Amino acid sequence: VQLQASGGGLMQAGGSLTLSCVASGRTFGNSDFGWIRQAPGKERELVARINKNGGITYYALSMKGRATISRDNAKNTVYLQMNSLKPEDTAVYYCAEGRKRFTTSPYDFDYWGKGTQVTVSS
C-alpha cells in the first residue's frame, strides 16, 4: 500500500488548509483512513479517522469543530480540511490506512504515508 499525502505548508493562524492523501495498493473502499500528527517532542495524536464507508468519523478533542475528514472512493483519496488553524497545529501530518478495529489510537493502522509538514505562524 502506498499513501501519498500533500497539501501541507506554511499558514497563518486563523487560516484554512486541506490535506489530501491518495492511496493505492489495495481496495480503497475496504479500508479505514486516519490523519495522525506528530509535533517535535510530542506524542503522536490521531487527529481524525474515517471508516470504510464514511459513516463513522472520529476527531481529536483538539480538532473538534475545526476539522473535517472525508473520502472520495472514486478517487482513492482522503481529505482533511482544517479551519481556524492555531500555532499548536504545527506538526507533520501522516495519512494512515488500516483494516483493524476502529479505535482512537494513532497506532491502529496497517500502513503509513511519509507525512506532510504543516506550520502555522502566529
Side-chain angles (χ1 to χ4, degrees):
V1 173
Q2 292 189 332
L3 302 165
Q4 183 63 51
S6 61
L10 176 61
M11 306 296 296
Q12 294 272 357
S16 298
L17 186 68
T18 298
L19 304 180
S20 300
C21 173
V22 179
S24 61
R26 62 180 182 178
T27 304
F28 184 87
N30 289 344
S31 300
D32 292 3
F33 287 86
W35 287 97
I36 295 94
R37 68 184 180 187
Q38 187 162 24
K42 293 189 176 181
E43 295 286 327
R44 285 190 178 185
E45 178 185 25
L46 177 62
V47 176
R49 180 169 181 157
I50 188 166
N51 78 329
K52 61 182 180 181
N53 64 16
I56 301 173
T57 57
Y58 162 82
Y59 296 97
L61 188 60
S62 59
M63 297 302 295
K64 272 192 177 177
R66 299 194 297 123
T68 302
I69 187 170
S70 61
R71 61 190 295 158
D72 185 338
N73 286 3
K75 295 182 178 180
N76 285 9
T77 303
V78 182
Y79 305 96
L80 180 69
Q81 181 180 354
M82 297 186 288
N83 303 314
S84 302
L85 288 166
K86 303 176 182 180
E88 50 263 45
D89 294 324
T90 296
V92 177
Y93 284 71
Y94 299 91
C95 175
E97 182 263 16
R99 296 180 178 180
K100 298 179 180 178
R101 187 169 58 96
F102 192 105
T103 73
T104 60
S105 168
Y107 298 100
D108 283 342
F109 294 92
D110 300 316
Y111 297 96
W112 298 75
K114 286 188 176 180
T116 184
Q117 176 72 45
V118 173
T119 303
V120 183
S121 63
S122 58

